[in-house]
Amino acid sequence: NLELGCILIEKAATEKAMRDIDEALDPMIQARKKSRERNGEPYFDMSIFNTQNLYPNGLPEHLRPKPSPTGLEPHQLRVYEAFQRMPRQPVIPANRSTLAGQQRVG
């Protein structure tokens, strides 16, 4: 029963988080869609260049994006490409029944 309760709580929390994220992102997604429909140009959110924002103002000058119709500069794009090439360790999910059994034994 405990495991079933945990599963139900996790499912409810996940669904709520997904709804919250969708609601938070929806205005930004809609602005991009409207921009593309109006002029077919890529969307630029100029509000990120507000001096009050930590990002991108917290980045070093050579990594800080600048308003540009071409997007990122080649040296900035290389940073993101390097992160894509980094090897990642596979995530091994914990088996709940194994963990539950270990907790009862201990």
Side-chain angles (χ1 to χ4, degrees):
N1 287 344
L2 178 61
E3 187 171 340
L4 176 61
C6 290
I7 290 171
L8 292 174
I9 290 170
E10 183 178 337
K11 183 176 188 269
T14 301
E15 288 172 356
K16 181 179 181 333
M18 288 174 60
R19 279 193 311 272
D20 292 348
I21 291 169
D22 286 344
E23 287 175 15
L25 293 177
D26 190 58
M28 294 172 264
I29 292 170
Q30 295 306 320
R32 284 160 176 76
K33 285 181 181 178
K34 287 178 186 174
S35 174
R36 186 178 30 205
E37 290 169 359
R38 274 194 302 257
N39 56 20
E41 300 279 325
Y43 175 79
F44 295 103
D45 183 3
M46 299 306 285
S47 68
I48 69 164
F49 298 104
N50 181 339
T51 57
Q52 301 298 326
N53 290 341
L54 178 60
Y55 174 82
N57 294 324
L59 292 172
E61 180 64 33
H62 62 282
L63 293 178
R64 193 173 305 147
K66 307 210 178 16
S68 166
T70 59
L72 295 174
E73 297 293 326
H75 66 279
Q76 294 170 322
L77 188 57
R78 282 194 297 271
V79 172
Y80 293 98
E81 290 170 345
F83 273 104
Q84 286 180 330
R85 290 189 301 270
M86 288 177 61
R88 292 178 176 77
Q89 296 295 324
V91 177
I92 302 170
N95 184 341
R96 290 181 188 219
S97 61
T98 303
L99 292 175
Q102 291 174 347
Q103 291 172 350
R104 278 183 255 162
V105 172

